[in-house]
């Protein structure tokens, strides 16, 4: 059959019959719906991704080439989940891999690559973007054309909190396209800034930052940050740029789909509008109004309703996915309390909910590991899935150490293992210098990251006579190349480059830390080493995000507690190297593993057993966070469970969410 017409799709016939499930009436209605534009509003656990995959498989069964199907998501995790759902339904892998499934950001980057001729470097860390922010600040401060100079409140150079605040504003302005949509020919004045809800100085710095990023013109930028490709493509579309001739633009698409549609922002919506307008395609989007966790980037659930109807000019068919098949009635009742909306379950199994209380936060990780150890025999099964969901990365340190001690394999999602976090690599590097032994760090990639961390935290430069015009990055890359086949080169670099090319205060701190590692012993050795470094001060100097600083301090606090079991720095250094190798070896096993993940990274996924530790006041909800978004994060986390949910809460200082999760006390 050729590509289906709307009349063909309107036939109440199910062409694709899945091999592993029996679809519900709601699912079949969505699978074969005749409407050109469909929006599916679903509860968590109501098979959103599976239903989207059914729609895709139906199009294929009716003759649509997989290459003519484009599915867009917010995250790489959601892309992987959709591909897995296709295969799980019975779509052959060779066919499933042909469907075009991308994030909005990767899709946008591909289109821009066609337009610009080559890829643009992408910087994901605030520390990479900070120099450009300060260039923008200086540009505003030194501008001779400023009309409202008395309204400017310029930040002090080196103010990390300013950079953090600016990057939040940058994300919101780009996600909402507020300035691009509203300024038109208006002058950039204090009154205009107030009208779009932005402080005047911040708006001026934002515009200067974009000038710096675009090298003073509207052509190819010199770099992009997170979600900048989506923003840049949306701006081109608003400016009337034609993208139909771009090789990556899906002009022949017959079906366009969006997963996690509740996380759409204005920039993404502009791209979606263009896709619908330039293709003769059917559209299907799925989402859950209570899973919006990217409000800071402009995400709004309204794009699932009024905005789409206003744009298409025609009817939008709304379909429900009302029943959860992931979890049982007990968890449906809990989900109802969190989300404040009707919830039901049609799962054939029940979900066990267990509360575990502890008096001190130090007791939490051992309790989590103990429960994982009880699950260890089940983890040999390919279907057993055990997820430990954390609100903050630093909470993983003692859990990881406990799992390694039990020989339980695990992976991480949403963050690196604590062993590979920059501040931990920095400490490992100083211990390696003290022991004059980097070769025991078995992985070449880790050795390189160790050296990079030392250069980064110390602020050192590389100085080579006769090569003053070469960039620091080029010189560092060359040094890393030497390190790959000569591990002990690190000691040479530390003594001849790092110590010689930092200021006197930093040199004293580094030398004092290495001296502690070489000469002292005892359970508090790592604490003394960090004190010699003045590590808290170093973190505040180097890391821009407040949350990133809290994570770093938490990571190092976990390190100190773990190091208390070792008497010498050398012994602890070797234990970290052994731990890294143990994790790699356990990850290499084919058996199912424990997943330690951030809550935000598991949207769209499900697990047999979900564990949520550290329900403490000050931990979750996160300090200074949007309460609505934190509650949505909780909703996402608890609704990932299929058969078991274990919640670990402080007895003395429980999270405010504990009362919401437990519900009102029974009537007397």
């Amino acid at each position: 059959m050729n590509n289906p017409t709307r009349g063909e799709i309107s036939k109440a016939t199910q062409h694709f019959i899945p091999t592993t499930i029996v679809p519900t009436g709601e699912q079949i209605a969505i699978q074969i719906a005749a409407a050109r534009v469909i929006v599916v509003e679903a509860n968590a656990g109501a098979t959103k991704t599976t239903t989207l995959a059914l729609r895709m498989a139906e199009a294929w069964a009716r003759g649509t080439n997989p290459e003519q199907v484009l599915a867009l998501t917010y995250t790489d995790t959601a892309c992987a989940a959709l591909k897995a759902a296709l295969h799980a339904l019975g779509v052959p892998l060779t066919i499933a891999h042909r469907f075009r499934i991308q994030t909005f950001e990767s899709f946008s980057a591909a289109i821009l690559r066609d337009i610009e001729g080559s890829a643009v470097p992408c910087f994901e860390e605030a520390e990479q973007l900070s120099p450009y922010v300060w260039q923008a600040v200086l540009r505003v401060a030194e501008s001779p054309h400023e009309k409202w100079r008395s309204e400017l409140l310029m930040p002090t150079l080196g103010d990390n909190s300013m950079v953090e605040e600016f990057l939040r504003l940058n994300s919101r302005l780009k996600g909402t396209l507020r300035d691009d949509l509203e300024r038109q020919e208006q002058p950039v004045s204090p009154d205009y800034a107030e009208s779009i809800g932005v402080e005047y100085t911040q708006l001026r710095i934002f515009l200067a930052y974009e000038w710096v990023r675009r090298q003073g013109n509207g052509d190819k930028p010199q770099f992009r940050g997170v979600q900048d490709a989506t923003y840049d493509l949306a701006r081109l579309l608003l400016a009337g740029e034609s993208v139909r001739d771009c090789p990556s633009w899906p002009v022949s698409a017959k079906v366009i789909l969006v997963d996690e549609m509740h996380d759409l922002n204005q920039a993404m919506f502009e791209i979606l509008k263009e896709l619908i307008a330039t293709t003769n395609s059917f559209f299907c989007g799925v989402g859950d109004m209570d899973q919006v966790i990217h409000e800071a980037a402009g995400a709004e659930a309204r794009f699932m309703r009024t905005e789409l109807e206003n744009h298409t000019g025609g009817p939008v068919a709304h379909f429900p996915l009302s029943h959860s098949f992931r979890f049982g009635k007990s968890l449906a009742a809990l989900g109802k309390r969190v989300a404040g909306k009707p919830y039901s379950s049609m799962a054939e199994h029940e979900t066990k909910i267990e509360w575990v209380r502890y008096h001190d936060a130090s007791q939490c990780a051992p309790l989590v590991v103990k429960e994982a150890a009880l699950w260890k025999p089940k983890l040999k099964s390919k279907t057993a899935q055990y997820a430990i969901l954390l609100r903050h990365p630093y909470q993983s340190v003692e859990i990881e150490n406990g799992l390694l001690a039990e020989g339980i394999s695990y992976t991480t999602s949403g963050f690196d293992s604590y062993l590979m976090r920059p501040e931990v690599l920095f400490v490992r590097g100083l211990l390696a210098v003290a022991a004059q032994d980097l070769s025991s760090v078995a992985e070449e990639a880790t050795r390189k990251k160790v050296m990079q961390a030392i250069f980064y935290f110390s602020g050192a430069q590389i100085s080579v006579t006769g090569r003053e015009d070469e960039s620091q990055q080029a010189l560092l890359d060359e040094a890393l190349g030497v390190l790959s086949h000569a591990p002990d080169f690190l000691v040479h670099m530390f003594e001849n480059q790092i110590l010689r090319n930092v200021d006197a205060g930093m040199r004293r701190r580094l030398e004092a830390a290495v001296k502690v590692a070489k000469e002292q012993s005892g359970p508090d050795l790592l604490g003394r080493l960090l004190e010699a470094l003045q590590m808290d001060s170093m973190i505040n100097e180097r890391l821009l995000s407040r949350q990133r600083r809290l994570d770093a301090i938490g990571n190092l606090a976990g390190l100190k507690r773990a190091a208390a079991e070792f008497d010498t720095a050398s012994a602890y250094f070797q234990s970290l190297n052994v731990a890294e190798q143990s994790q790699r070896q356990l990850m290499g096993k084919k058996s199912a593993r424990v997943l330690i993940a951030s809550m935000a990274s598991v949207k769209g996924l499900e697990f047999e057993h979900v564990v949520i530790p550290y329900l403490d006041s000050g931990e979750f909800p996160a300090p200074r966070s949007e309460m609505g978004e934190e509650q949505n994060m909780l909703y996402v986390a608890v609704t990932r469970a299929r058969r078991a949910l274990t919640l670990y809460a402080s007895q003395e200082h429980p999270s405010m969410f504990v009362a919401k999760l437990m519900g009102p006390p029974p009537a007397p």
Side-chain angles (χ1 to χ4, degrees):
M1 183 184 294
N2 295 325
N3 294 327
T5 65
R6 289 177 203 167
E8 288 172 327
I9 285 190
S10 69
K11 296 175 183 177
T13 305
Q14 184 183 4
H15 282 57
F16 176 77
I17 309 297
T19 59
T20 54
I21 67 168
V22 177
T24 66
E26 286 183 339
Q27 288 179 314
I28 293 174
I30 295 164
Q31 180 180 335
I32 66 173
R36 186 192 178 203
V37 181
I38 295 172
V39 172
V40 180
E41 298 183 36
N43 287 334
T47 65
K48 293 189 300 295
T49 302
T50 297
T51 304
L52 202 64
L54 279 170
R55 183 81 175 169
M56 296 166 71
E58 180 71 16
W60 166 63
R62 290 176 180 269
T64 300
N65 293 327
E67 291 83 1
Q68 293 178 306
V69 177
L70 171 65
L72 294 172
T73 74
Y74 195 95
T75 65
D76 290 327
T77 300
C79 287
L82 187 51
K83 291 176 184 176
L86 282 166
H87 182 53
L89 289 173
V91 177
L93 272 177
T94 53
I95 301 298
H97 288 318
R98 289 168 56 194
F99 286 97
R100 187 172 177 183
I101 303 173
Q102 295 178 276
T103 64
F104 272 92
E105 184 70 1
S106 63
F107 172 81
S108 301
I111 304 302
L112 292 169
R113 198 156 47 240
D114 290 341
I115 295 171
E116 296 163 350
S118 61
V120 170
C122 183
F123 301 150
E124 297 187 356
E125 301 298 331
E127 290 75 24
Q128 295 173 298
L129 298 171
S130 178
Y132 301 105
V133 176
W134 287 112
Q135 285 182 41
V137 170
L138 291 175
R139 181 174 175 80
V140 172
E142 297 172 358
S143 172
H145 307 296
E146 177 57 54
K147 295 181 179 179
W148 291 277
R149 188 165 298 280
S150 63
E151 298 289 332
L152 293 175
L153 300 171
M154 300 307 296
T156 303
L157 188 63
D159 181 359
N160 286 343
S161 62
M162 171 269 162
V163 176
E164 180 182 1
E165 182 62 32
F166 170 79
L167 292 176
R168 279 198 295 268
L169 172 75
N170 178 65
S171 178
R172 178 162 60 86
L173 280 176
K174 289 178 176 178
T176 60
L177 295 176
R178 192 74 188 272
D179 178 57
D180 300 274
L181 289 170
E182 297 193 23
R183 181 145 50 97
Q184 307 293 324
E185 300 298 323
Q186 295 183 64
V188 181
S189 66
D191 287 343
Y192 168 71
E194 183 179 3
S195 75
I196 63 170
V198 180
E199 196 274 323
Y200 179 63
T201 307
Q202 290 181 319
L203 180 58
R204 274 296 184 197
I205 294 172
F206 170 78
L207 297 173
Y209 174 81
E210 283 300 287
W211 189 94
V212 170
R213 190 171 73 86
R214 298 175 187 283
Q215 305 174 86
N217 57 59
D219 296 329
K220 183 177 180 179
Q222 61 175 319
F223 69 91
R224 288 193 170 101
V226 176
Q227 299 299 318
D228 271 349
T230 302
Y231 172 67
D232 288 347
L233 179 56
R235 286 184 76 253
L236 286 178
L237 296 175
L238 287 174
E241 179 85 21
S242 176
V243 293
R244 299 186 189 195
D245 295 332
C246 295
S248 297
W249 190 260
V251 289
S252 62
K254 299 298 180 185
V255 181
I256 294 172
L257 312 101
V258 171
D259 200 3
E260 308 288 352
M261 193 176 176
H262 47 264
D263 273 329
L264 246 62
N265 58 28
Q266 188 70 51
M268 294 174 181
F269 189 64
E270 293 298 326
I271 295 167
L272 178 59
K273 287 195 302 184
E274 188 72 10
L275 285 167
I276 293 174
T278 58
T279 61
N280 183 30
S281 60
F282 289 83
F283 172 75
C284 180
V286 299
D288 179 351
M289 302 288 193
D290 294 299
Q291 291 195 52
V292 179
I293 61 173
H294 297 290
E295 290 181 78
E300 293 185 72
R302 67 184 171 92
F303 295 110
M304 290 179 62
R305 289 188 171 170
T306 55
E307 291 299 316
L308 192 59
E309 291 184 357
N310 293 340
H311 167 68
T312 57
V316 174
H318 289 268
F319 287 81
L321 279 174
S322 50
H323 306 293
S324 171
F325 292 85
R326 177 182 298 154
F327 43 76
K329 291 180 174 58
S330 58
L331 187 46
L334 185 147
K336 178 180 179 180
R337 290 195 293 271
V338 175
K341 65 180 180 182
Y343 229 117
S344 64
S345 169
M346 292 186 66
E348 296 180 354
H349 61 269
E350 187 50 277
T351 303
K352 178 184 177 183
I353 300 176
E354 181 181 9
W355 285 91
V356 179
R357 302 284 186 166
Y358 53 85
H359 294 284
D360 185 84
S362 64
Q363 298 172 332
C364 188
L367 289 170
V368 171
V369 172
K370 182 179 179 181
E371 183 166 21
L374 294 175
W375 258 71
K376 188 175 179 181
K378 298 180 184 179
L379 294 174
K380 294 178 181 179
S381 165
K382 292 182 179 179
T383 61
Q385 299 164 303
Y386 188 94
I388 302 169
L389 305 185
L390 305 178
R391 187 62 189 89
H392 306 290
Y394 64 77
Q395 294 169 336
S396 80
V397 178
E398 286 160 298
I399 294 174
E400 288 189 61
N401 284 335
L403 293 175
L404 289 169
E406 292 288 338
I408 298 174
S409 59
Y410 68 90
T411 55
T412 61
S413 176
F415 46 71
D416 288 327
S417 164
Y418 86 91
L419 295 160
M420 302 304 295
R421 296 171 192 166
E423 56 277 3
V424 177
L425 290 167
F426 176 49
V427 171
R428 291 176 70 181
L430 294 179
L431 295 175
V433 169
Q436 297 195 337
D437 175 23
L438 189 63
S439 60
S440 58
V441 178
E443 294 296 320
E444 179 181 319
T446 304
R447 295 173 191 166
K448 291 181 178 180
K449 289 179 180 179
V450 163
M451 182 184 280
Q452 289 171 319
I454 293 178
F455 271 94
Y456 173 71
F457 277 101
S458 67
Q461 300 282 300
I462 298 177
S463 176
V464 180
T465 302
R467 302 177 64 179
E468 289 80 7
D469 293 337
E470 293 188 42
S471 71
Q472 284 294 304
Q473 188 60 54
L475 294 171
L476 180 57
D477 288 344
E478 183 177 317
L480 294 174
V482 175
L483 187 70
S484 64
H485 60 263
D488 291 337
F489 183 62
L490 175 69
V491 177
H492 169 82
M493 289 295 292
F494 184 79
E495 294 175 348
N496 294 282
Q497 289 290 345
I498 293 170
L499 291 180
R500 292 184 179 184
N501 295 310
V502 295
D503 62 63
M506 179 60 69
R507 182 167 58 251
R508 285 193 295 271
R509 289 155 74 177
L510 293 171
E511 289 175 334
V514 171
K515 182 179 176 66
V516 168
K518 283 182 176 180
E519 299 178 1
Q520 297 189 26
S521 61
D524 191 38
L525 184 144
L526 192 63
R528 280 175 269 146
L529 184 150
L530 295 174
E531 185 178 349
L533 277 174
Q534 300 174 41
M535 194 64 195
D536 284 359
S537 173
M538 196 177 291
I539 286 170
N540 288 329
E541 292 165 5
R542 294 286 181 258
L543 301 181
L544 302 180
S545 160
R546 176 182 178 275
Q547 187 56 55
R548 181 68 187 86
R549 293 194 293 271
L550 290 174
D551 285 338
I553 290 170
N555 288 332
L556 295 175
L559 271 190
K560 285 197 292 184
R561 288 191 291 270
E565 298 180 13
F566 300 87
D567 193 54
T568 66
S570 177
Y572 185 52
F573 173 58
Q574 294 303 331
S575 78
L576 292 172
N577 301 334
V578 170
E580 182 189 347
Q581 282 305 103
S582 296
Q583 193 214 7
R584 292 182 184 278
Q585 291 166 5
L586 289 168
M587 284 176 60
K589 293 182 178 180
K590 295 182 179 179
S591 61
R593 308 177 186 99
V594 169
L595 175 71
I596 308 175
S598 68
M599 294 175 178
S601 73
V602 295
K603 282 181 66 174
L605 303 181
E606 61 180 45
F607 310 94
E608 290 296 293
H609 192 155
V610 166
V611 171
I612 303 178
Y614 299 109
L615 288 170
D616 292 28
S617 176
E619 293 285 319
F620 189 27
R624 300 186 188 179
S625 55
E626 291 291 334
M627 190 53 61
E629 197 161 303
E630 288 292 287
Q631 182 165 302
N632 287 351
M633 194 83 72
L634 174 68
Y635 172 75
V636 168
V638 298
T639 56
R640 299 308 96 195
R642 281 178 51 79
R643 295 187 180 273
L645 171 67
T646 307
L647 302 145
Y648 291 80
S650 168
Q651 184 73 46
E652 280 77 20
H653 307 288
S655 162
M656 63 179 293
F657 287 147
V658 170
K660 181 177 283 289
L661 288 165
M662 298 190 74

